Amino acid sequence: MKKTIEIDGVTMRYDVEGDGSRAVVVMHGWGCEASTVAVLAQAALLPSTRVYNLDLPGFGKSDEPAEVWGVDCYTTFIEEFCRRESIERPVLIGHSFGGRIAIMMSSRTAVDRVILVDAAGIKPRRSLRYYIKVYSFKTARHLLPFIVGGTRASHIIERMRGRSGSADYRNASPKMRAIMSRVVNEDLTGLLHLIKAPVLLIWGEKDTATPLRDARKMEKLIPDAGLVSYPEAGHYSFLDRPGQTAAVIQNFLS
């Protein structure tokens, strides 16, 4: 069933399936939507569960946030969604960016279990080339308005962003680009030890966006965590190994 809910002026679309009493909230990665993680939602659809698969704000058919949100804002929004839907102690499933929300929410809110699939949250290691590019961009942003004027500077800076940014960044709206710039630099490592619920980590060993070393770090720092990794699978490991992923999730939930 497709539904919508409005929270603080932001309308979010989501799918809900199942009649069980155990709520499962599924959150997709950056640049994706509910349909992208349908494999995860279906895997969690058991006789005992009711599965909510979300188009997070700014993605799919949901509204963009009015302000530049960080992970905390997204987490607060999902916590309020759970309150509105009378969801208590949900199972959280988060892929990539959705994993950030699952980490923060489970570190401060009572949840049943957590499944992190190629999840973001560990600040990536940066090369010298990256920092040269970042600081060159920041210098240009501050100096260009004085050299060529504000209007022309804005066009030049936007072209620089388009050339240097990732595909996700280039394809995003200006508001979502600002949000992406904020959330990717948030390091959630310090929250991992606060997660009290059992955690299942599912990872692709060839994941270059959130490498396997991130999963191993999470497994080490989360008090009750186990890791399942797939050789030759990438950042969308659940699409590379749908059958195996479904079996692992169903075993974890049972």
Side-chain angles (χ1 to χ4, degrees), residues 94-141:
H95 171 246
S96 195
F97 172 65
R100 288 183 181 272
I101 302 170
I103 288 170
M104 182 168 284
M105 185 168 169
S106 60
S107 75
R108 69 190 197 190
T109 302
V111 301
D112 181 359
R113 290 171 183 252
V114 184
I115 301 173
L116 300 176
V117 185
D118 301 291
I122 305 294
K123 192 169 183 177
R125 298 175 184 176
R126 304 295 194 185
S127 65
L128 177 60
R129 181 180 179 184
Y130 169 85
Y131 286 107
I132 291 173
K133 182 172 66 176
V134 167
Y135 286 108
S136 296
F137 176 78
K138 288 183 177 181
T139 301
R141 189 177 61 189

Side-chain angles (χ1 to χ4, degrees), residues 69-229:
W69 281 10
V71 180
D72 177 71
C73 298
Y74 272 96
T75 304
T76 299
F77 186 93
I78 300 306
E79 288 169 340
E80 179 60 24
F81 167 75
C82 289
R83 283 191 286 271
R84 298 275 188 95
E85 292 294 303
S86 300
I87 297 172
E88 297 182 359
R89 297 182 62 85
V91 174
L92 301 179
I93 302 179
H95 171 246
S96 195
F97 172 65
R100 288 183 181 272
I101 302 170
I103 288 170
M104 182 168 284
M105 185 168 169
S106 60
S107 75
R108 69 190 197 190
T109 302
V111 301
D112 181 359
R113 290 171 183 252
V114 184
I115 301 173
L116 300 176
V117 185
D118 301 291
I122 305 294
K123 192 169 183 177
R125 298 175 184 176
R126 304 295 194 185
S127 65
L128 177 60
R129 181 180 179 184
Y130 169 85
Y131 286 107
I132 291 173
K133 182 172 66 176
V134 167
Y135 286 108
S136 296
F137 176 78
K138 288 183 177 181
T139 301
R141 189 177 61 189
H142 288 296
L143 292 182
L144 276 174
F146 296 102
I147 299 171
V148 300
T151 301
R152 188 177 175 195
S154 295
H155 291 307
I156 294 172
I157 290 168
E158 193 60 30
R159 286 200 301 271
M160 290 176 67
R161 283 195 178 110
R163 287 196 301 268
S164 62
S166 65
D168 283 341
Y169 186 88
R170 291 194 299 271
N171 294 333
S173 70
K175 175 63 64 60
M176 296 308 294
R177 287 181 180 179
I179 291 174
M180 183 179 183
S181 295
R182 179 175 177 181
V183 300
V184 297
N185 288 305
E186 294 188 47
D187 189 359
L188 306 183
T189 304
L191 300 180
L192 297 174
H193 75 282
L194 299 174
I195 301 175
K196 305 307 179 187
V199 177
L200 170 64
L201 303 163
I202 299 176
W203 234 266
E205 294 182 9
K206 297 296 185 180
D207 188 343
T208 57
T210 54
L212 186 61
R213 65 173 177 266
D214 290 0
R216 290 176 174 146
K217 188 171 186 177
M218 290 180 186
E219 183 183 28
K220 179 179 179 181
L221 295 177
I222 297 171
D224 184 4
L227 170 63
V228 174
S229 65

